[in-house]
Amino acid sequence: MKRDVIVACDFPSAEETFAFLDRFKEEKPFVKIGMELFYGAGPEIVREIKARGHKIFLDLKLHDIPNTVKRAMAVLSKLDVDLCNLHAAGGLDMMRGAIEGLTRPDGTRPLLIAVTQLTSIDQTRLSGELLIDRPLPEVVTQYAKNAKAAGLDGVVCSPLEAGTVHEACGAGFLTVTPGVRFSDGATGDQQRVTTPAKARELGSDFIVVGRPITAAADPIAAYRRCVAEFLG
Ligand code: C5P
């Protein structure tokens, strides 16, 4: 799949999501459906957005025992999404189970990526709250290597880590990076942010952008600015 901007549709309902997507007349953005929308609107929202011609990243970040994740992934594989994810913190067996569950009888499956560390986690939280004493970049690299060893296609990470992940896991290992903000925008709860242009420079394959587009006065202009900065 080629590099792209993924729009995080973090809305509580189908109505609000379609009101937002209806504003796009010329483009069909790659859409991320996260917990808020999926839990609020149910699996039907995935089918509806897919039917409108959008690619879909289903961002449910699964994290449970291997058997539970495998079975949940088997259900999700029927939704025909392009990309889905889990937490690498769940371990190698959980990730292997996920691939197994996701693989359809004909051998095809959506791409599967792992969250390394949330972009809202910084070194202080990592060591102070989670008692993980290693440097954050080392933790991210190790989780990425685990994801690759389990057969996953890439990771969700900060754009600041995209280069290191590619070095450790190869150029073809996807880096999908949230925590993107325009140079003149608010950062909100994201701790480690970069601009779309910087994310490109750092080697991100996909950027995930929510509020800088969804909460913009002119979302179409913000989306286009993002695409122009990221794809060049
Ligand atoms: O609004 P904003 O641009 O911060 O949205 C970022 C999106 O990416 C959110 O939907 C958030 O859940 C998701 N995400 C993230 N950090 C991760 C993984 C996913 O911000 N590590």
Side-chain angles (χ1 to χ4, degrees):
M1 242 189 313
K2 63 176 179 20
R3 298 171 62 251
D4 208 349
V5 172
I6 303 178
V7 181
C9 286
D10 294 323
F11 298 108
S13 70
E15 292 70 38
E16 279 160 89
T17 307
F18 290 127
F20 171 73
L21 290 177
D22 283 344
R23 299 176 72 158
F24 289 85
K25 306 288 180 213
E26 289 167 32
E27 295 100 342
K28 288 269 180 217
F30 198 135
V31 163
K32 181 174 88 74
I33 299 176
M35 297 181 200
E36 184 182 7
L37 184 55
F38 190 80
Y39 294 153
E44 195 47 36
I45 187 84
V46 177
R47 296 187 193 98
E48 283 177 39
I49 295 178
K50 190 81 195 175
R52 287 171 167 233
H54 297 269
K55 286 206 176 92
I56 295 179
F57 169 21
L58 187 56
D59 178 23
L60 298 181
K61 299 189 182 75
L62 277 70
H63 189 174
D64 209 315
I65 57 170
N67 185 57
T68 302
V69 169
K70 177 180 159 182
R71 294 172 70 106
M73 285 294 187
V75 175
L76 295 183
S77 77
K78 297 189 182 111
L79 287 176
D80 192 26
V81 298
D82 299 277
L83 189 60
C84 58
N85 66 353
L86 45 62
H87 271 285
L92 278 163
D93 280 351
M94 187 202 75
M95 290 193 272
R96 290 193 190 105
I99 295 265
E100 229 183 292
L102 210 52
T103 307
R104 306 182 186 101
D106 65 359
T108 62
R109 64 165 174 81
L111 291 172
L112 179 64
I113 58 177
V115 175
T116 50
Q117 282 296 324
L118 297 170
T119 43
S120 53
I121 298 287
D122 58 10
Q123 187 68 53
T124 311
R125 291 192 168 98
L126 190 72
S127 22
E129 291 175 21
L130 305 178
L131 304 187
I132 298 174
D133 285 331
R134 304 290 188 95
L136 184 60
E138 196 183 320
V139 176
V140 169
T141 307
Q142 178 61 28
Y143 285 20
K145 285 181 179 169
N146 288 350
K148 181 157 190 199
L152 270 68
D153 305 291
V155 288
V156 185
C157 62
S158 155
L160 301 166
E161 291 137 8
T164 330
V165 168
H166 282 140
E167 266 166 42
C169 302
F173 194 66
L174 299 176
T175 52
V176 179
T177 65
V180 173
R181 292 292 179 266
F182 291 121
S183 50
D184 48 1
T187 57
D189 54 353
Q190 296 283 15
Q191 300 292 327
R192 297 175 284 143
V193 298
T194 58
T195 62
K198 187 73 186 165
R200 174 182 60 171
E201 227 178 279
L202 294 168
S204 294
D205 296 295
F206 293 88
I207 51 172
V208 177
V209 188
R211 290 159 290 180
I213 293 175
T214 55
D218 183 347
I220 312 297
Y223 173 73
R224 288 184 181 153
R225 178 180 173 191
C226 222
V227 170
E229 278 193 31
F230 182 60
L231 297 181

